[in-house]
Amino acid sequence: PIAPENAAALQMLGRVGSALPMSIVYSPDGRYLLASTTDATYAYALDRLDAAPKVFPFTRVTFDAGGFLVGDEVKVLLSIQAN
């Protein structure tokens, strides 16, 4: 796992597009990893890492006390269907 002790060893493997990273958060239930950029937020289902991420049109994400995804001040139901 990534930890403060080994974070300096991380290396960029690639980059797509010109968006800048904003934040990375796990969903409270541990089912999703969300990566926000200056263009969008990408939600990855951790039980299907080979699947394409669900893309949301907002750049700031958090979760409220009920575990709901909140993006750019709008509550969103986070549901990623298998393709």
Side-chain angles (χ1 to χ4, degrees), residues 36-70:
S36 295
T37 71
T38 52
D39 291 339
T41 292
Y42 302 85
Y44 297 88
L46 295 177
D47 62 344
R48 292 189 309 275
L49 292 176
D50 58 333
K54 172 110 180 195
V55 181
F56 294 98
F58 42 75
T59 59
R60 292 175 295 144
V61 295
T62 189
F63 289 89
D64 68 9
F68 286 96
L69 176 65
V70 178

Side-chain angles (χ1 to χ4, degrees), residues 1-2 9 26-27 32 34 38 51 53-54 59-60 62-64 75 78-80:
I2 298 172
Y26 283 100
S27 62
Y32 303 100
L34 288 87
T38 52
K54 172 110 180 195
T59 59
R60 292 175 295 144
T62 189
F63 289 89
D64 68 9
K75 192 177 286 190
L78 179 57
S79 176
I80 300 176

